[in-house]
C-alpha cells in the first residue's frame, strides 16, 4: 500500500491534472500557500458552498445570510481581540533555518503517541477476534492508559502555558519531549515568539492621510457588526442565526499542506444569537447538527471525530473541532465555539453603540450570547477531494483511477458520449446536451474509444455517462453508466434527466439531515 505521503502527492497532482486546483501565478513559480481553482475546482467549491448554504440558511427559518465587506473599520479588530491576541507561537530551528508553529510541533508529537494507541488497538483486535471490546480495552489496558495519560498531560501543560503566555515553558516542553526538526533532525531551537497573523494594508491615496486597515482574518466580525441591522430589519427573534461565506486572510507561519492551510481562504460561518445561560444546550445541539451535515455526504462516519479544546481561544467558553481523516491524519475541519457575549459586548464598548436585544418574553434587554459554527471551504474541498480519489483493481486485473465525489457535489453531473462520430449519433448527443444543460453541468466527449472516455470521466469525478449508439436510432434508448458501480443500463432517452435528478439533487441528500 502506498504511504500517506505518496497518497497526498497523488491528490495534489490529480487536482492539477483534472483542472481542480492550480498553484497561484504558476508561470512565475507560484506564490507560497496561495492557490487557484480551475474549471472543475470552481464548480466543486461552488457546490460545497451551496450545500452548506442550503442546509444552514434555506432550510432554517430563523437563519439568514449576509455578505459583508472584506475591509472593515480598523477598530473592529481591536474590539475583537485580534490586534492583541491573534497570534501563533513560532519557533525556528537554528540548523535547518525552518520555521514552525511551536504548538503544532507539540501536537504532532502527541499524534505520534496516539498512533501508538491505535497500533495497540489493532493488535488486540486481531488477538481477541470477535470478542474484542474496544471500550473495555481502552479503559483497562495499562500500556494504553499510560500513553493516554502522557498525551493528555502534554496537551494540558501546553494549553496552560499558552493561556498564560508562558512561552519559555512552551520551549522547555519542546526540549523535554526531545522534539526534533522534522527536516534536519536537529534539536537546536530558538526561543518561542508570538507572531500576529493579520495582513495589514492601507486605504486612501496619499501616504499621510491613508488609514491602516487589515484584511479580515475571519468572516465572523462582519456578522457581529451587522447584528442589529439584521435583527431589526429582519424582525428576528432570539434564537436566530446569521450566516456568511467569504474570503479570509491569515499570514500563516507554516503553510505547507496544499489547500489545508492557505494564506487566502474562504470560510463558511454561522453565528447563532441566543439567550445568556442557554449556551451549553446550543453548543451540544450545533455540534450534533454540524456532524449530521458532514455525515449526510456519505463519506464514512469513521473519518470524523470530535476534539474538545483544552486551550480556549480568547473569546470562547467551550470549543470543539470536527476533525477529518485527511491523507496526513486527523486534523481540524470545522470549529464549533461558544463565544459568550465576548464580541458583541466589546463592540458595544469600542463603538459606544448599544448592541442589545429586547426580549419580549423576559421583558428586558440583554447582549445575546453567541454560538458559532465555522468551517473552511477549502479544507472541506480537500476533505471531499482526497477522500474521493481511489485506485481500484478491476476484475480483469487492470486498475482504474476514480474520483468518487458525492454526486451532489460533482462539477459535471453527466457526460454525453456518441459512440461514433458519424451516422447521426453526434446530432442526437448534442440534442441531449441541449436539453440537459438547463438542469446540470454537462460534458460532451466524442474523442477516443468509449472505454477511454469512461476512464477520463471516472478520473474527473463525473457520476454518469450516457452513450448514444446505433440502437438509439432505432428505439430511442441509451446506455447510462454509473461511475461508482460501473453498472450500465439501457433506458429511454426521455428518462435520462429524471434518473440523474434522483441521484444529484440536494433535496435527496439533505433530507438525511
Ligand atoms: P488551525 O488550528 O488549523 O489554524 P483555527 O482553529 O485557527 O485553525 P478557526 O479560526 O477556528 O481555525 O477557523 C475556522 C475554520 O477555518 C477552520 O476549522 C478551518 O477549516 C478554516 N481555516 C482556518 N485557517 C485556515 C487556513 N489558513 N487555510 C484554510 N482554512 C483555514
Amino acid at each position: 500500500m502506498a504511504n500517506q505521503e505518496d497518497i497526498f502527492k497523488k491528490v495534489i497532482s490529480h487536482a492539477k491534472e483534472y483542472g481542480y486546483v492550480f498553484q497561484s501565478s504558476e508561470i512565475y513559480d507560484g506564490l507560497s500557500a496561495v492557490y487557484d481553482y480551475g474549471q472543475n475546482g470552481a464548480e466543486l467549491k461552488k457546490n460545497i458552498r451551496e450545500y452548506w448554504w442550503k442546509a444552514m440558511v434555506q432550510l432554517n427559518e430563523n437563519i439568514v445570510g449576509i455578505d459583508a465587506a472584506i475591509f472593515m473599520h480598523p477598530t473592529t479588530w481591536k474590539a475583537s481581540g485580534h490586534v492583541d491576541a491573534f497570534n501563533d507561537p513560532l519557533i525556528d530551528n537554528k540548523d535547518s533555518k525552518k520555521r514552525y508553529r511551536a504548538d503544532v510541533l507539540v501536537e504532532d508529537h502527541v499524534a505520534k503517541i496516539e498512533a501508538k494507541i491505535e497500533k495497540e488497538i489493532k493488535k488486540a483486535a486481531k488477538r481477541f477476534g470477535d470478542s474484542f471490546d474496544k471500550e473495555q480495552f481502552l479503559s483497562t489496558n495499562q500500556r494504553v492508559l499510560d500513553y493516554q495519560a502522557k498525551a493528555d498531560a502534554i496537551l494540558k501543560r501546553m494549553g496552560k502555558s499558552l493561556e498564560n503566555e508562558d512561552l519559555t515553558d512552551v520551549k522547555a516542553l519542546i526540549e523535554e519531549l526531545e522534539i526534533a526538526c522534522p527536516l534536519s533532525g536537529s534539536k537546536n531551537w530558538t526561543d518561542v515568539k508570538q507572531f500576529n497573523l493579520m495582513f495589514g494594508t492601507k486605504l486612501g491615496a496619499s501616504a499621510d492621510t491613508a488609514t491602516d486597515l487589515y484584511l479580515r482574518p475571519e468572516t465572523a466580525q462582519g456578522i457581529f457588526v451587522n447584528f442589529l441591522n439584521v435583527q431589526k430589519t429582519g424582525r428576528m427573534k432570539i434564537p436566530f442565526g446569521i450566516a456568511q461565506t467569504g474570503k479570509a486572510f491569515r499570514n500563516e507561519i507554516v503553510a505547507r499542506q496544499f489547500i489545508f492551510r492557505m494564506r487566502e481562504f474562504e470560510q463558511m460561518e454561522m453565528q447563532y444569537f441566543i439567550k445568556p445561560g442557554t449556551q451549553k444546550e446550543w453548543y451540544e445541539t450545533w455540534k450534533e447538527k454540524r456532524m449530521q451535515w458532514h455525515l449526510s455526504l456519505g463519506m464514512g462516519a469513521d473519518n470524523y471525530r470530535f476534539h474538545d479544546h483544552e486551550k480556549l481561544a480568547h473569546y470562547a467558553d467551550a470549543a470543539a473541532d470536527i476533525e477529518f481523516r485527511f491523507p496526513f491524519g486527523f486534523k481540524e475541519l470545522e470549529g464549533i465555539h461558544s463565544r459568550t457575549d465576548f464580541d458583541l459586548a466589546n463592540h458595544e464598548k469600542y463603538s459606544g453603540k448599544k448592541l442589545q436585544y429586547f426580549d419580549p418574553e423576559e421583558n428586558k434587554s440583554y447582549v445575546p450570547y453567541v454560538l458559532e459554527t465555522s468551517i473552511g471551504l477549502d479544507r472541506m474541498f480537500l476533505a471531499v477531494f482526497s477522500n474521493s480519489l481511489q485506485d481500484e483493481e478491476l476484475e480483469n486485473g487492470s486498475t482504474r483511477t476514480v474520483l468518487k465525489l458525492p454526486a451532489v457535489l460533482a462539477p459535471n453531473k453527466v457526460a454525453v458520449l456518441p459512440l461514433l462520430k458519424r451516422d447521426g449519433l453526434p446530432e442526437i448527443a448534442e440534442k441531449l446536451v441541449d436539453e440537459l444543460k438547463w438542469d446540470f453541468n454537462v460534458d460532451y466527449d466524442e474523442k477516443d474509444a468509449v472505454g477511454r472516455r469512461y476512464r477520463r470521466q471516472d478520473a474527473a469525478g463525473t457520476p454518469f455517462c450516457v452513450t448514444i449508439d446505433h440502437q438509439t436510432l432505432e428505439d430511442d434508448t441509451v446506455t447510462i453508466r454509473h461511475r461508482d458501480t460501473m453498472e450500465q443500463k439501457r433506458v429511454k432517452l426521455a428518462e435520462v434527466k429524471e434518473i440523474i435528478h434522483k441521484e444529484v439533487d440536494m433535496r435527496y441528500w439533505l433530507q438525511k439531515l
Side-chain angles (χ1 to χ4, degrees):
M1 213 187 88
N3 68 27
Q4 284 189 340
E5 209 169 301
D6 290 342
I7 293 173
F8 193 38
K9 273 193 190 143
K10 170 136 198 201
V11 166
I12 298 170
S13 66
H14 196 88
K16 179 173 179 196
E17 193 180 338
Y18 285 87
Y20 278 88
V21 185
F22 306 128
Q23 200 180 10
S24 163
S25 329
E26 194 189 283
I27 58 167
Y28 295 106
D29 297 333
L31 189 63
S32 163
V34 186
Y35 292 91
D36 297 340
Y37 289 88
Q39 66 280 16
N40 282 323
E43 294 287 341
L44 173 56
K45 201 173 162 198
K46 175 171 76 67
N47 292 342
I48 296 172
R49 192 190 295 113
E50 197 185 332
Y51 195 71
W52 181 87
W53 191 271
K54 262 210 160 78
M56 299 300 272
V57 179
Q58 194 173 331
L59 296 180
N60 285 300
E61 247 172 72
N62 62 344
I63 300 181
V64 292
I66 64 164
D67 184 10
I70 287 172
F71 291 138
M72 298 187 70
H73 192 282
T75 311
T76 309
W77 306 110
K78 198 77 198 139
S80 69
H82 283 79
V83 171
D84 297 322
F86 195 54
N87 301 319
D88 275 341
L90 75 78
I91 188 165
D92 290 311
N93 185 276
K94 289 185 195 161
D95 296 322
S96 67
K97 307 273 181 267
K98 281 278 167 199
R99 177 157 283 186
Y100 295 93
R101 255 174 71 177
D103 54 335
V104 171
L105 282 179
V106 174
E107 278 165 13
D108 287 348
H109 181 85
V110 168
K112 282 188 195 143
I113 301 176
E114 281 170 350
K116 285 185 188 160
I117 298 179
E118 289 288 323
K119 221 168 165 180
E120 294 291 330
I121 294 173
K122 270 206 188 118
K123 254 183 12 204
K126 213 163 157 192
R127 187 151 30 98
F128 292 112
D130 286 344
S131 64
F132 181 59
D133 179 340
K134 188 171 158 190
E135 289 308 309
Q136 196 193 356
F137 179 75
L138 286 177
S139 58
T140 53
N141 181 281
Q142 197 51 48
R143 195 173 295 171
V144 167
L145 288 173
D146 289 346
Y147 282 142
Q148 195 59 56
K150 198 165 154 192
D152 291 346
I154 294 170
L155 288 180
K156 199 160 179 187
R157 173 162 160 204
M158 182 172 73
K160 222 178 178 156
S161 313
L162 288 175
E163 214 165 283
N164 298 337
E165 296 261 332
D166 185 355
L167 299 179
T168 319
D169 190 56
V170 177
K171 180 174 182 191
L173 183 61
I174 288 174
E175 284 174 341
E176 277 168 41
L177 297 172
E178 299 190 355
I179 295 176
C181 164
L183 208 75
S184 62
S186 143
K187 295 174 194 156
N188 192 6
W189 297 107
T190 61
D191 286 343
V192 179
K193 280 191 297 208
Q194 289 291 22
F195 175 76
N196 194 291
L197 300 183
M198 283 198 293
F199 281 104
T201 184
K202 289 202 183 292
L203 182 89
S206 69
D208 42 336
T209 57
T211 318
D212 286 317
L213 288 189
Y214 294 107
L215 297 183
R216 67 179 178 197
E218 61 173 28
T219 55
Q221 298 305 323
I223 293 179
F224 291 125
V225 299
N226 279 298
F227 157 72
L228 262 197
N229 285 338
V230 174
Q231 190 274 319
K232 289 227 153 84
T233 56
R235 288 180 295 144
M236 309 300 289
K237 290 206 169 56
I238 273 179
F240 73 91
I242 305 179
Q244 161 162 242
T245 71
K247 286 275 170 108
F249 303 82
R250 294 182 189 178
N251 201 359
E252 297 281 0
I253 296 171
V254 182
R256 294 187 198 126
Q257 279 167 320
F258 192 38
I259 57 171
F260 180 81
R261 191 176 298 289
M262 304 157 92
R263 297 209 160 95
E264 171 181 344
F265 59 101
E266 193 165 334
Q267 288 188 312
M268 308 192 286
E269 297 199 300
M270 194 277 298
Q271 315 291 327
Y272 205 65
F273 298 91
I274 55 176
K275 195 150 85 178
T278 62
Q279 66 269 31
K280 276 223 158 54
E281 309 151 42
W282 284 116
Y283 176 63
E284 292 306 327
T285 304
W286 278 107
K287 268 173 78 174
E288 177 63 27
K289 270 178 180 275
R290 291 304 304 148
M291 186 57 105
Q292 287 309 322
W293 180 85
H294 286 285
L295 296 179
S296 73
L297 286 169
M299 298 203 298
D302 282 6
N303 289 322
Y304 300 87
R305 69 180 191 197
F306 282 113
H307 170 247
D308 294 316
H309 280 209
E310 284 285 339
K311 175 196 172 238
L312 293 173
H314 58 274
Y315 50 74
D317 79 346
D321 297 335
I322 293 179
E323 294 188 336
F324 184 78
R325 197 196 299 270
F326 286 97
F328 36 84
F330 271 102
K331 289 271 182 278
E332 169 176 349
L333 170 59
E334 169 157 8
I336 292 137
H337 310 125
S338 171
R339 289 181 84 125
T340 68
D341 61 358
F342 177 87
D343 303 87
L344 289 181
N346 271 334
H347 284 306
E348 271 202 328
K349 198 165 103 194
Y350 280 84
S351 68
K353 309 269 166 26
K354 265 203 169 353
L355 295 176
Q356 302 198 354
Y357 170 78
F358 177 74
D359 191 328
E361 280 165 27
E362 306 257 321
N363 200 25
K364 66 171 192 200
S365 294
Y366 53 77
V367 178
Y369 269 36
V370 169
L371 210 290
E372 165 183 82
T373 72
S374 173
I375 172 169
L377 175 48
D378 313 85
R379 239 179 236 191
M380 183 63 193
F381 183 112
L382 181 59
V384 171
F385 191 88
S386 59
N387 188 66
S388 302
L389 186 60
Q390 292 170 24
D391 276 328
E392 263 183 10
E393 290 258 348
L394 301 180
E395 275 170 18
N396 64 9
S398 66
T399 55
R400 70 161 181 160
T401 297
V402 52
L403 189 61
K404 292 188 168 177
L405 298 171
V408 66
L409 301 180
N412 286 318
K413 303 303 186 202
V414 52
V416 177
L417 321 171
L419 189 64
L420 299 172
K421 266 194 268 186
R422 54 180 154 78
D423 303 338
L425 304 184
E427 286 75 12
I428 300 179
E430 274 161 23
K431 215 170 131 205
L432 181 61
V433 170
D434 273 346
E435 171 58 22
L436 295 178
K437 74 181 181 194
W438 294 94
D439 294 44
F440 318 110
N441 279 334
V442 189
D443 195 15
Y444 174 85
D445 190 1
E446 56 175 28
K447 200 164 172 287
D448 301 323
V450 78
R452 282 185 65 180
R453 282 182 265 170
Y454 284 155
R455 288 287 175 279
R456 228 169 11 235
Q457 296 297 336
D458 285 347
T462 314
F464 293 102
C465 287
V466 174
T467 306
I468 317 286
D469 57 17
H470 289 94
Q471 199 182 326
T472 315
L473 298 170
E474 288 163 24
D475 63 4
D476 278 343
T477 63
V478 293
T479 303
I480 186 161
R481 174 185 179 272
H482 206 284
R483 177 197 63 200
D484 298 348
T485 57
M486 294 193 291
E487 186 194 25
Q488 302 189 17
K489 259 198 196 143
R490 198 90 211 166
V491 301
K492 285 247 168 263
L493 198 49
E495 291 168 358
V496 168
K497 193 157 83 177
E498 201 43 42
I499 293 173
I500 301 171
H501 267 299
K502 283 230 167 77
E503 300 263 347
V504 308
D505 284 4
M506 292 204 179
R507 156 187 294 259
Y508 302 110
W509 291 73
L510 287 171
Q511 262 169 5
K512 291 179 227 156
L513 284 181

